[in-house]
Amino acid sequence: MATYLYKLGRFAFRRRHFVALLWVALLTLAGVGAASAPPAGNSSFSIPGTEAQRAFDLLEQRFPGMSADGATARVVFHAPDGQKMTDAANKAAVEKTVKELGSGSEVASVADPYTGKAVSRDGTIAYASVKYKVSGMELEDSSRDALKESAAHARDAGLTVEIGGDALTTAPETGSSEVIGIAIAAVVLVITFGSLIAAGLPLLTAIIGVGIGVSAITALASPLDLGSTTSTLATMIGLAVGIDYALFIVSRYRAELAEGRDREEAAGRAVGTAGSAVVFAGLTVVIALVGLSVVNIPMLTKMGVAAAGTVAIAVLIALTMIPALLGYAGRTVKPAGEKSKLLGGGRAAKKAGRPNMGTRWASFVVRRPVTVLLLGVVGLGAAAVPAASLELGLPDDGSQPVSTTQRRAYDLLSDGFGPGFNGPLMVVVDAKGSADKKAAFAKVGDEIKGLKDVVTVTPPAPNKAGDTAIITVVPKSQPSSATTEDLVHAIRGKSASIASATDAKLLVTGATAMNIDVSQKLNDALLPYLALVVGLAFLLLIVVFRSILVPLKAALGFLLSVLAALGAVVAVFQWGWLSGLMNVEQTGPVMSMMPIFMVGVVFGLAMDYEVFLVTRMREAYVHGENPGQAVVTGFRYSARVVTAAAVIMIAVFSGFIGSSEAMIKMIGFGLAIAVFFDAFIVRMAIVPAVLALLGRRAWWLPAWLDRALPNVDVEGEGLRTQSDPDEDRELVRA
């Protein structure tokens, strides 16, 4: 591996014009594809294997043209003080709005408030239900604009008008904080390298990699049915790993220069050593992201695969474009320890002096491993305590900021019709095999009326064939409450007795039931996913480190950091700690996909630091140093750059906390705090403490397994005997 990458690095350095043109051509091709691609809107949403999805599929068959899973909107009208919605002027304004709402090409139906009994008891609130032919993620922007314009016309008549429902689902906005995150990354790079040119290389290559990845996603969005969130995740992960991977190779290049090697040789050795770590670190991230497909939620699978593709591009760019750009940069990229004239007066590296911070810290940990280990584990354990109170759910309009029209519509409906009105349940009764279909429908309605937490049960609405009916159930509690979830399970619990008495099948669906099913599906998939991802990465790390205990320690440390990060997410987004600082306007259950998503992404990123840091230790150990000294050597060369990489990744992820989308905000915070815990507590404290305690046992591998494993030579041992025809040549001039 190291020898091959060494040759690749030297080739890219020598043939830099060809390599640079190749990547520019790929970026141009992807950009042209994205610009010429048809607008894809948002991805369709389906959850195979759930009862809610089976009910939707049945409705598509038995109620043709109904668009059971189509987008919905509730246009909520509130009369001015002292007036009622039944007043003539207000009624005329509403009826005019209803007529406008029904004129859209994607509109399936509009229910008039006055004929559909959608006026509150006190007469001050009314709503019109709009049903669309396509889902909220597929709805055209023109339909959303028409919906908003109709509401604006009613406001002109003096009414308060708000819009709820999934018809207003739009692409998330990240805001200026994302740019601030990149700016912080740039400052960290400048401080790390002491050179604007060296600092600019990782940023440039990361932006090019993300540009190619996101442009490709945009170009393929329509044929592959990719949603807007897909490109957001790819940007988030691609930027973070793209900067980090380039950072490690540039840092190793400067270290090789400091040892007196010429620039081409330094580029080859940097790619051969640090590049090997990049390859395996990238593989762990790709495994974690592609592994999301085991959940069997198409949207999550597409997000994971697209982000994995962007990570693969980041790896390839780091291995090829970085050495090519180093060739262009020439002498402007200084050896390690030297500063540019602009930032450091052009001073040379110090030949000898006080040990750096990484060396001093590692020496302290090696002397006090038990103390450091206990403090690290106890600290992460304390941070993980809130995770015991984790409540999972999917956000609805009640979790939106109070400044949004969706939230205001949600609150108006709760005031006028009760909290459960925002999450009605759709009960589908399949009586095709029943002898008395009408009796079966009535039996289901009567059974549901007898349950707790039920406010309203509508009469059965059969299809034309009369073999299937829809019953709408309005709970007393809000959609995201545990009481409503219990009601869904209680209704489904009646299925066996209904089938026994009437030979009819009962299915519960609707947005609320779908959210409950998604949460359950994600919970059920968490342990198999964790076993798959950690298992595959464990095997990969055995090959990399040729050790059993080092990969085991890496996996256990990851679990600590993830639990601590989940605890922090619960504290902020569920309990409300520091919610003002994070601009979290509404606390509530943590999104169901958060645990499994954090497991996948954080595991991949955590293994990045494990590979980069421990590879240097392994390299020192293989070259003859004792275990304790190898730990110190690894920190001497890697601590500064790993710290910089972690700060950069935290800055990039933190930039997404400013998103208007609750899911993106929570993911950004969760990943940022997880990287902080993993990089600075697990990898910088717990890992060296454990290795110091284990000593030579850390690198133990059974002889039979040692013979069976391929030798990937991540440490670059083969490069020590690599012939260097340019060894005696003068430094390559740019």
Side-chain angles (χ1 to χ4, degrees):
M1 169 75 76
T3 302
Y4 170 76
L5 293 178
Y6 164 81
K7 294 177 180 178
L8 177 63
R10 294 193 61 161
F11 171 83
F13 188 96
R14 289 196 306 270
R15 301 288 185 265
R16 46 187 172 271
H17 301 313
F18 169 76
V19 172
L21 284 175
L22 177 63
W23 283 111
V24 170
L26 289 174
L27 178 62
T28 303
L29 182 64
V32 170
S36 58
N42 289 297
S43 172
S44 58
F45 188 79
S46 64
I47 311 295
T50 62
E51 179 173 320
Q53 188 64 50
R54 291 198 301 272
F56 277 135
D57 295 340
L58 180 65
L59 290 173
E60 289 290 340
Q61 297 173 11
R62 304 288 175 84
F63 291 81
M66 176 185 175
S67 301
D69 59 348
T72 59
R74 279 176 169 173
V75 182
V76 186
F77 306 91
H78 187 212
D81 291 342
Q83 299 182 26
K84 294 184 179 297
M85 291 306 305
T86 51
D87 294 347
N90 294 336
K91 186 175 181 179
V94 171
E95 289 176 340
K96 181 180 179 181
T97 302
V98 169
K99 185 176 180 181
E100 291 177 359
L101 291 170
S103 62
S105 59
E106 292 185 312
V107 175
S109 63
V110 180
D112 188 302
Y114 302 102
T115 59
K117 298 181 180 179
V119 180
S120 63
R121 289 184 178 180
D122 62 5
T124 61
I125 299 173
Y127 70 92
S129 296
V130 185
K131 184 73 175 176
Y132 291 89
K133 300 174 183 177
V134 296
S135 69
M137 294 185 175
E138 299 171 296
L139 200 63
E140 295 290 340
D141 288 338
S142 58
S143 295
R144 293 192 185 93
D145 293 339
L147 178 62
K148 294 174 184 177
E149 289 174 6
S150 299
H153 294 160
R155 291 191 187 101
D156 293 339
L159 298 174
T160 298
V161 186
E162 306 296 347
I163 306 171
D166 60 351
L168 291 184
T169 301
T170 57
E173 298 176 1
T174 54
S176 59
S177 55
E178 180 183 345
V179 178
I180 295 174
I182 297 175
I184 294 173
V187 172
V188 173
L189 287 169
V190 171
I191 294 173
T192 302
F193 290 139
S195 166
L196 293 176
I197 299 297
L201 296 183
L203 281 176
L204 176 62
T205 54
I207 291 171
I208 290 174
V210 169
I212 294 173
V214 172
S215 295
I217 290 171
T218 304
L220 298 173
S222 182
L224 298 183
D225 193 26
L226 304 177
S228 57
T229 310
T230 305
S231 59
T232 303
L233 176 64
T235 301
M236 184 187 299
I237 303 299
L239 272 177
V241 301
I243 294 174
D244 277 8
Y245 294 165
L247 166 65
F248 281 104
I249 292 179
V250 173
S251 178
R252 187 60 183 257
Y253 170 77
R254 297 178 71 233
E256 296 293 337
L257 289 179
E259 293 183 8
R261 293 188 173 87
D262 68 42
R263 297 187 179 277
E264 182 178 325
E265 178 69 10
R269 287 180 177 267
V271 175
T273 52
S276 297
V278 165
V279 169
F280 283 99
L283 277 175
T284 59
V285 180
V286 169
I287 288 172
L289 291 170
V290 174
L292 290 171
S293 58
V294 303
V295 184
N296 196 27
I297 295 180
M299 183 185 73
L300 198 58
T301 299
K302 293 170 186 177
M303 288 172 63
V305 171
T310 306
V311 171
I313 292 171
V315 171
L316 292 174
I317 283 184
L319 298 178
T320 57
M321 195 170 186
I322 281 293
L325 293 179
L326 288 172
Y328 284 118
R331 295 179 179 275
T332 58
V333 177
K334 304 292 183 182
E338 290 189 20
K339 303 290 184 180
S340 67
K341 291 183 179 180
L342 178 63
L343 296 174
R347 67 176 183 269
K350 295 179 180 179
K351 297 300 181 183
R354 188 183 179 192
N356 62 20
M357 180 66 74
T359 302
R360 296 196 300 273
W361 170 250
S363 299
F364 170 78
V365 174
V366 170
R367 290 196 306 270
R368 301 284 188 272
V370 175
T371 302
V372 173
L373 179 60
L374 288 177
L375 287 175
V377 172
V378 170
L380 290 178
V385 168
S389 302
L390 177 67
E391 296 178 10
L392 297 176
L394 287 178
D396 54 22
D397 285 348
S399 62
Q400 295 273 6
V402 293
S403 58
T404 63
T405 185
Q406 296 99 315
R407 173 61 186 276
R408 292 194 294 266
Y410 182 98
D411 291 341
L412 283 174
L413 289 172
S414 294
D415 293 341
F417 303 92
F421 197 77
N422 283 290
L425 306 175
M426 185 184 296
V427 179
V428 181
V429 185
D430 179 7
K432 196 169 186 177
S434 178
D436 189 343
K437 297 175 175 55
K438 290 185 178 180
F441 299 153
K443 173 72 173 174
V444 172
D446 292 340
E447 289 283 343
I448 295 174
K449 288 177 182 177
L451 296 173
K452 296 188 299 182
D453 199 48
V454 172
V455 174
T456 304
V457 178
T458 65
N463 61 351
K464 289 184 179 180
D467 58 4
T468 307
I470 299 173
I471 299 174
T472 301
V473 180
V474 178
K476 290 181 182 178
S477 306
Q478 62 185 15
S480 60
S481 69
T483 307
T484 299
E485 182 176 350
D486 292 340
L487 175 61
V488 171
H489 293 315
I491 295 174
R492 288 172 173 172
K494 296 289 184 181
S495 180
S497 61
I498 293 293
S500 176
T502 66
D503 291 324
K505 298 177 182 178
L506 180 154
L507 300 169
V508 183
T509 189
T512 300
M514 179 66 84
N515 287 350
I516 292 170
D517 287 353
V518 170
S519 298
Q520 188 61 50
K521 190 176 182 70
L522 289 166
N523 289 341
D524 293 342
L526 182 57
L527 288 180
Y529 173 70
L530 186 63
L532 173 69
V533 171
V534 175
L536 289 176
F538 181 78
L539 295 176
L540 185 65
L541 292 179
I542 289 178
V543 175
V544 174
F545 296 124
R546 308 193 76 78
S547 164
I548 298 293
L549 296 179
V550 170
L552 179 61
K553 172 263 308 169
L556 293 176
F558 149 74
L559 291 175
L560 268 176
S561 58
V562 164
L563 286 174
L566 278 176
V569 169
V570 169
V572 174
F573 291 89
Q574 187 175 309
W575 292 358
W577 294 5
L578 301 177
S579 58
L581 181 63
M582 299 295 169
N583 197 28
V584 179
E585 297 189 26
Q586 181 67 32
T587 59
V590 173
M591 281 178 300
S592 302
M593 69 173 60
M594 195 64 190
I596 199 166
F597 189 82
M598 284 188 65
V599 165
V601 177
V602 175
F603 182 78
L605 300 180
M607 293 306 102
D608 280 2
Y609 300 118
E610 180 74 14
V611 170
F612 289 130
L613 190 61
V614 181
T615 295
R616 268 291 199 173
M617 299 178 190
R618 169 75 180 174
E619 184 177 340
Y621 178 75
V622 168
H623 293 162
E625 295 186 7
N626 65 58
Q629 185 58 40
V631 171
V632 176
T633 300
F635 268 76
R636 178 187 305 132
Y637 291 109
S638 299
R640 178 182 175 89
V641 71
V642 167
T643 299
V647 171
I648 288 169
M649 197 170 281
I650 291 169
V652 172
F653 289 148
S654 296
F656 290 85
I657 296 175
S659 174
S660 62
E661 178 67 30
M663 182 177 74
I664 300 300
K665 180 189 292 288
M666 190 178 293
I667 288 174
F669 172 80
L671 294 183
I673 197 69
V675 169
F676 173 80
F677 287 147
D678 197 86
F680 293 109
I681 300 180
V682 174
R683 308 304 152 188
M684 289 290 189
I686 294 178
V687 165
V690 171
L691 290 178
L693 289 171
L694 290 175
R696 296 186 183 276
R697 289 169 294 180
W699 309 107
W700 171 80
L701 187 69
W704 64 268
L705 185 56
D706 187 39
R707 291 190 297 269
L709 292 177
N711 184 11
V712 295
D713 189 22
V714 177
E715 302 84 15
E717 181 65 21
L719 299 183
R720 295 172 72 87
T721 58
Q722 178 72 32
S723 61
D724 182 12
D726 301 322
E727 189 69 33
D728 301 322
R729 202 173 62 189
E730 291 183 359
L731 295 178
V732 175
R733 299 179 183 275

